Amino acid sequence: MCRFRRPIASQYTDADLQTREGQLGVFSLRGHARVSRSRASRIRGRMALGSDCGLGSAPAATLQPLNVLGQSDLFGNYDTQPVAGDETRIQGDNPEEVDRFISSSGAAVALKRKAALNEPAGPLYAQGHSTSTSWKDDDFYGININALLDKIEAQAHDNDATGGDEEEEQGDGGLHKGEPQAQKLWVEKWRPKSFVDLIGNEKSDRILLAWLRQWSFAAFKEEPPNPPKAEDSNDDKSVRDIDPYQRPYKRILLIHGPPGIGKTSVAHILAKHAGFAVSEINASDERAGPLVKQKVQNTLFNHTFNDRPVCLVADEIDGSIESGFVKVLLDILYQDGKATNQARYRNMQSTFSKKKKNKKTSKVLLRPIVAICNNLYAPALEKLRPHCQIISFKRPADSALQERLQHICKSERLLISKKVVNNLIDLSQGDVRNCINNLQFLSKQKYSDESILSVKSNEEIEGIGSNQKDTSMSWFKVVNDIFKKDNNREVREQFYEVLKNVEMNGNYDRIVQGCFALYPTVKYSDNGVKKPASITDWLYFQDLMHKSLYTHNGELLRYCPTVPLSFFHHFGDVANKTDQRIKNPEYEQREILKQNSDIVSSIQDGVSSVAPKRSTFLNQKTLVNDILPFLDHMLSVDVLKVKDNKMKVLLIDRMLAILEAFQLSINQMENELTDSRPILTIDPPIDKIVVFDSKKIKEIVTKRPHVLNLLFAKSEENKVKKRHIDKVTKEKAALEDNKYKNKKARTFGSNSVDFFKKQYESINLSSQSETGNSSAKHVNNNFTPGDTTPTPKDSVRIWVRYKSGFSNAVRKNVSWDALWQ
Amino acid sequence: MSLWVDKYRPRTLKQLNHSDELTHLLTSLQEQPRDLPHLLLYGPNGAGKKTRCMCLLESIFGGGVYRLKIDVRHFVTPSNRKLELNVVSSPYHLEITPSDMGNNDRIVIQELLKEVAQMEQVDFENSKDGIAHRYKCVVINEAHSLTRDAQAALRRTMEKYSRNIRLIMICDSMSPIIAPIRSRCMLIRCPAPTDDETIKILAEVASKENVKVESGSVFQKIVEQSSGNLRVATLMLESMSLCNEMQLKMSTPILKPDWMVVISNIGVKVTRERNVACLVECRSILYDLLSHCIPAKTILQELTFALIKDTSLDKTKRIDILSHASTFDERLALGNKVIFHLEGFLARVMCTLDGTS
Amino acid sequence: MFEGFSSNKRRKVDNTESKEENKPWVEKYRPKNLDEVTAQDHAVNVLKKTLKSADLPHMLFYGPPGTGKTSTILALTKELFGPELTKSRVLELNASDERGISIVREKVKNFARLTVSKPSKNDLEKYPCPPFKIIILDEADSMTADAQSALRRTMETYSSVTRFCLICNYITRIIDPLASRCSKFRFKSLDESNAMDRLQYVAKQESVICEDGALEKILIVSSGDLRKAITLLQSSSKLRNYTGTDKVTSKQVEELAGRVPNDILGELVEKIASKDLDAIIAYVNNFAKSGWSGVSVISQLHDYYIMSDNFDTAFKNRISLILFDTDAKLTNGTNEHLQLLNLVVQISNI
């Protein structure tokens, strides 16, 4: 944009300019309330120096003379005098509000600016932000995040130091002045900072803390204060003992639960308590590719400048793609497993020394990793789950939540009745973050001159979620009003009022959903079920109209208000006087559905990874409708009651075969029903999908674990047998191979390299026959750390070095067919 | 080791054990593999369409078709969303389920098929008559869920690339398939096995697995319950034998999937009490069923059949129930919120049973 | 390792032969010039005239499937431009190509903008190469309304060098502005005689012997769709190799077309007439297990009831309502078994 410089002095008088400047100044500041001074002044500058921008504020009706217009910056025919005036103006932190200009005639002009209104700094701006022009400080480009973070830290320190009173004062003071100053979000302000602030899930918190403490040997090189609890590791204590760093058996902790109940906060607090510094990776960070690998490696394996070791918190992990972050974690675990084995090895056999250092040293994992997710059965977590210890977080109890909310309200000087708090908790379905947000929202509605806010009635609550216009009501209220009928007023009038309310609200889908949820519980008169039968036609109408949102640009939505009217017509009754709470099971149902379909797809994936041949005949429909229910029946056979031993064996074999065919494993999982101790269940839990009968569900908890125990024992037995058999067959094969190789060696003549190779193989054979460990076929083709039995002490290593270019190093017959497959 | 369903699944055309005319047809097709037309296999669920398709492929290409591996292919929609699709492939054929992608299945058809078609097959495998097969087979599962756009994209591809691709589409019913595709394919109807054939098959399986069966009427009962679905019948047989120590008697209870039991309970409930309280209970049961991944259409179908089976009802009432079922079936197909319509159906049925309509 | 190679000599890779045999007969016998197009005299005459005058309007071909729309325009382009020039002068986009609005804006527009290439002398002699390009948009009814709108201005602006030809089945799916810019050609479905000639020609070329009445049956079954008829002929001729007969029988044709055999239909009708609800339900359950397509059942029932003289008008009235209702529901993708049961029971109740 060309900047035209007018000879200001020649055109206008000073007084004129003053007002014009002042007006422009005011305009710019008013129009762009949050814009920094620098930008405003630049705009002003442009507007002043440019020709009429049509802003209409100035009385400048006269056109500029042509000779003036020709002068523009682009061609550089302007005064060589530096634009000092402008500069001072732009950079001016000029307290006197007097600006200096240099007009084109060279004279210096001083203009006094009219006092502008104070910029109402938004809550995100602290006072006194910098007004320099460098682009980094220009808020147009964004907030200087580092400065803000520093400020937050400083504030947090202050708060910590002086305790709660100051918070109250601050809160008080903020409200007193009537303007929202640098107010923090209450969610951030009231984030729990210590163990005692946490609500709900006490048991899970303790488990988490215990798990973290177990890392103290690895991280701090000190003994853990308490012996490890029994519930943490159910199997091989022996393995744990051998672990040279005394870490827990499962190296990653996975916390899962609904949103907003405190999972991330807990992880941070407990990590701090246990003495770690927390490094967080969440969904907003780059979580794919080499970047994240670098970052994770840095946090876990390098020393930091903090005094404390680092604990890695991986938040929102179910959103990451499988090949990204999850793979990095798996790699780390794998390396750790290898390194642990080496370390264990080293412990047993201190005389062993490595001649050659491998390029890639496997690193032992010495820092804890905590992962947080919402959906435990998300596909991204499939591979990670077996290596994690899983803790589930539930919604906090209403009473604890209430207490906390009351405490917050007291501190923020918000008077609120218990009933309203209860309503709030219901609305948000136990989500603490949501509650606190809503409270803050409520309080913000009226920051008038009152120093004390009071939320007396339910209406305030219902204002949440809708526009805060005075004329509209929340959908909550609208729905309840639909079912009320007043005999004193004319029906037509009421009709019209309901229509008005509905249209004003505009949230047709929610309203109809609410009506649908509520109508069975309101009082109305009916002949049998006639009215529900007839209302269903209207519901169909609503469904179709709503669907037009996707197909016809929502043009048919304008007909939706008629549906609530029909509800009024059918179900409105004088007897409905009180407002009822509307429960919406849709959300929960969707969550459960998602979880179940994830389970089904994980089963399908499991089968396809092992036997793709079979998996082509499976799809979700056949699995859910046909196969899984019968599978469940088959696995619920009560084998213990069978008397005939042969039959028993047969049945058990059958069941084991089925388990393997569908890649189901038997694990210890904690049970939601009993909530006491973990029991054996099938993983992935097919019973969750197919079993409806409540009696059967109880049976799963009580009777089945016995059967599963038996199966588990048998399967372990089979595994050992298999290993043995494999070992023997491998021996045989190796012997035969050896014979063949010997024959070959004889026919080809002894080559120096071949000679060594032969020796290597024969020695290796003898060592292998003692171990047979590599044949422990992992059932899931997953790496399970700690599963490999320790290699024996005296396996000899032979290193054969080949000169590069020597092509008979490895000789393998490749058939023509193999090339084309 | 796997379920009996998989163990006794026929792998070649010769092993197919029901619907012999169909087997003849398929055998004739594979006599001249070069002329294989595009195929459309349709029929009820559990009748063996997929099995037959694999048998046909096996007879054309040899046992190599069972060497399957699964790839994940990525596609980018025009709105720059990345999608993944599982593609099962063997050296001779490719198998996809485009309806997994939902509304974006058109992109799969366009890109994937074009890609496959444009690759010339360099295959020197020795086949029966020494002539290299020049084409690859693409099996499309659940072709009835393809969107109209995808079908439109498909029809042109079928014409243009018929030299390098032969399509085999498997669907439950032919009605959603548009006419141009139907005219370009050979329609093969795969009927469900008759009762006698099913009994014969079950008897064979039972004898091979050494299950002691008291009498043939046990099979009869199973066949009735499974209503033409061979897969369900075999599963039923297996689970019953396991639960009863490999012995089947007349008194053995027939095991049914849980969801079926629940649905028939709803039917019983509805006939017994007809008031709003019952409606509320049924609503929660319906929510339960829906969240356990049972599709709404199945619920409606089973519910209707359960209600009609009751012969004590008046004839006109049953006819009315049927017509309500058909109306609400359409609403389920056209609308989004299934719970509205399912509950509406229950309410209507209650009204009908009351005598008011 | 070299064993594989030697047997290669014995192997014949029949390239040329298999090319021809592999082709579906529909492709093989597609009309290669305008004269070969049967039964669409009106459209063909107009187009022939334009051949001479080299003044082509924008065209919109519509009509039921299998009537020769795509064949006509392809034949036309072949006659206008000859094989070499066609590549540079004709752009064909059909539903298998990406035809979203962005493609319309780029690809189509760019092609339309190009100046017409000068034909070689050779071509000029043989073909009337008129000085414009042709863009063929096949299956235009599956283009979104937005993409179609983006097309309108392009059509107008470059009409001097480019002509558009839209092909669709349902003209209502083409937005009005586009339809008004084109001259519409309606392709009607083929009547018996024309189609019969063509079918007999194909049968003779492929040396297929048919039973009497088999060809007629084919035409009835395909109801005016010539593509369907030829495909049916091809499939049934393949089938006869195995069944051992030389001739194509009408029974085979029916089976291949997915129509219910008459005897089974007769049984169904009997049960309906008996008005015994339980028997009907049991019969339909069995029927559904056979997997017959609901659509064909409906059309056959329609033929049976409406076309026959045994029933009175009121009855036919009510039946047609029920049939229509069920057909609509089936196209919307509902449960076939349920709808069929409902249909049958309603009919029996009349």
Side-chain angles (χ1 to χ4, degrees), chain A residues 509 516 519 537 543 547 586 596 608 614 616 619 622 625-626 630 633 651 654 688-690, chain B residues 2 6 50 70 142 231 238-239 242 256 258-259 283 287 291-292 331 334 336-337 341 343 348:
Chain A
D509 194 37
F516 177 70
Y519 85 81
D537 292 328
D543 202 1
K547 209 172 168 197
E586 286 275 316
N596 285 338
S608 46
R614 254 185 291 130
T616 55
N619 58 17
T622 49
N625 287 3
D626 301 334
F630 286 109
H633 281 286
L651 286 179
R654 215 41 226 130
K688 272 210 191 133
I689 311 177
V690 293
Chain B
S2 53
D6 293 320
K50 194 60 180 294
I70 302 195
E142 296 186 31
R231 183 193 296 126
E238 186 172 359
S239 39
L242 273 187
K256 283 205 274 193
D258 262 2
W259 55 272
R283 185 193 284 197
Y287 268 127
S291 65
H292 280 90
R331 291 187 187 179
L334 288 178
N336 265 339
K337 299 222 173 52
H341 309 306
E343 187 174 301
R348 276 278 163 80

Side-chain angles (χ1 to χ4, degrees), chain B residues 34 156 175 301 318 326, chain C residues 22 92 278 329 335-336:
Chain B
R34 264 176 313 161
R156 204 71 179 112
S175 324
Q301 180 184 338
R318 286 154 84 191
S326 123
Chain C
N22 260 340
E92 189 192 345
D278 290 312
K329 287 184 188 157
N335 188 339
E336 280 206 2

Side-chain angles (χ1 to χ4, degrees), chain A residues 199-214:
Chain A
I199 316 177
N201 291 305
E202 279 95 16
K203 187 161 162 288
S204 318
D205 294 342
R206 274 189 260 273
I207 298 180
L208 178 53
L209 190 56
W211 186 87
L212 278 174
R213 291 294 235 141
Q214 284 181 328

Side-chain angles (χ1 to χ4, degrees), chain A residues 418-486:
Chain A
K418 236 187 177 187
K419 205 170 87 144
V420 170
V421 170
N422 273 339
N423 268 343
L424 205 54
I425 296 180
D426 268 335
L427 252 186
S428 62
Q429 293 180 319
D431 184 336
V432 186
R433 190 192 278 134
N434 206 1
C435 286
I436 303 185
N437 259 337
N438 288 339
L439 274 182
Q440 186 174 14
F441 201 33
L442 273 180
S443 75
K444 287 273 232 123
Q445 275 178 29
K446 12 183 180 169
Y447 60 87
S448 53
D449 295 322
E450 300 172 15
S451 57
I452 298 178
L453 305 177
S454 59
V455 182
K456 291 205 180 83
S457 65
N458 269 343
E459 264 121 37
E460 321 278 343
I461 298 285
E462 292 136 21
I464 300 165
S466 70
N467 300 331
Q468 295 308 308
K469 293 209 185 113
D470 297 341
T471 50
S472 81
M473 301 199 291
S474 68
W475 67 270
F476 210 78
K477 193 118 191 3
V478 172
V479 170
N480 270 308
D481 276 351
I482 287 178
F483 292 106
K484 296 191 185 141
K485 209 177 208 178
D486 195 348

Side-chain angles (χ1 to χ4, degrees), chain A residues 552-595:
Chain A
H552 300 113
N553 287 333
E555 282 170 5
L556 293 174
L557 279 181
R558 69 187 86 172
Y559 298 111
C560 286
T562 48
V563 181
L565 283 182
S566 74
F567 269 95
F568 172 71
H569 170 66
H570 281 97
F571 297 105
D573 198 282
V574 196
N576 299 321
K577 292 234 193 321
T578 53
D579 286 348
Q580 298 190 27
R581 273 215 291 263
I582 305 180
K583 295 200 185 76
N584 193 358
E586 286 275 316
Y587 177 68
E588 241 184 78
Q589 185 223 340
R590 243 180 302 147
E591 290 292 305
I592 300 180
L593 177 63
K594 188 160 181 302
Q595 206 185 45

Side-chain angles (χ1 to χ4, degrees), chain B residues 163-294:
Chain B
R163 200 161 66 99
N164 286 338
I165 281 193
R166 294 298 150 89
L167 284 175
I168 301 183
M169 291 190 276
I170 303 183
C171 61
D172 278 344
S173 88
M174 269 219 298
S175 324
I177 311 278
I178 57 179
I181 293 194
R182 265 188 269 161
S183 71
R184 283 170 176 70
C185 296
M186 183 160 165
L187 307 169
I188 299 186
R189 182 179 63 94
C190 298
T194 61
D195 286 351
D196 298 323
E197 288 174 338
T198 321
I199 293 181
K200 211 172 78 176
I201 297 174
L202 287 180
E204 247 183 75
V205 171
S207 69
K208 281 199 193 141
E209 293 284 334
N210 299 325
V211 180
K212 288 197 276 282
V213 182
E214 195 184 346
S215 76
S217 42
V218 177
F219 292 135
Q220 185 76 27
K221 271 206 300 183
I222 296 183
V223 164
E224 267 169 48
Q225 282 298 323
S226 62
S227 59
N229 190 333
L230 193 52
R231 183 193 296 126
V232 170
T234 324
L235 283 170
M236 231 184 244
L237 182 70
E238 186 172 359
S239 39
M240 274 163 62
S241 8
L242 273 187
C243 289
N244 291 299
E245 308 172 23
M246 303 302 242
Q247 286 179 6
L248 292 178
K249 307 188 187 143
M250 283 300 290
S251 55
T252 333
I254 302 273
L255 290 176
K256 283 205 274 193
D258 262 2
W259 55 272
M260 270 194 172
V261 176
V262 171
I263 293 181
S264 42
N265 279 346
I266 297 183
V268 166
K269 224 190 249 207
V270 164
T271 34
R272 255 190 301 157
E273 7 165 316
R274 295 187 279 268
N275 51 28
V276 183
C278 176
L279 206 57
V280 171
E281 276 176 46
C282 293
R283 185 193 284 197
S284 59
I285 301 181
L286 286 173
Y287 268 127
D288 206 18
L289 280 171
L290 287 171
S291 65
H292 280 90
C293 303
I294 311 282

Side-chain angles (χ1 to χ4, degrees), chain A residues 186-254:
Chain A
W186 288 8
V187 182
E188 295 305 319
K189 203 160 143 191
W190 294 100
R191 210 177 253 281
K193 295 188 187 59
S194 76
F195 200 72
V196 296
D197 287 338
L198 297 173
I199 316 177
N201 291 305
E202 279 95 16
K203 187 161 162 288
S204 318
D205 294 342
R206 274 189 260 273
I207 298 180
L208 178 53
L209 190 56
W211 186 87
L212 278 174
R213 291 294 235 141
Q214 284 181 328
W215 286 85
S216 36
F217 179 72
F220 300 106
K221 306 215 174 11
E222 61 186 35
E223 289 297 323
N226 299 326
K229 297 203 177 108
E231 57 204 329
D232 289 339
S233 63
N234 51 356
D235 44 7
D236 335 43
K237 280 242 177 90
S238 51
V239 178
R240 294 197 64 251
D241 285 345
I242 299 184
D243 186 295
Y245 300 100
Q246 294 187 24
R247 297 165 295 173
Y249 180 54
K250 303 224 172 175
R251 314 260 192 258
I252 300 186
L253 185 77
L254 182 61

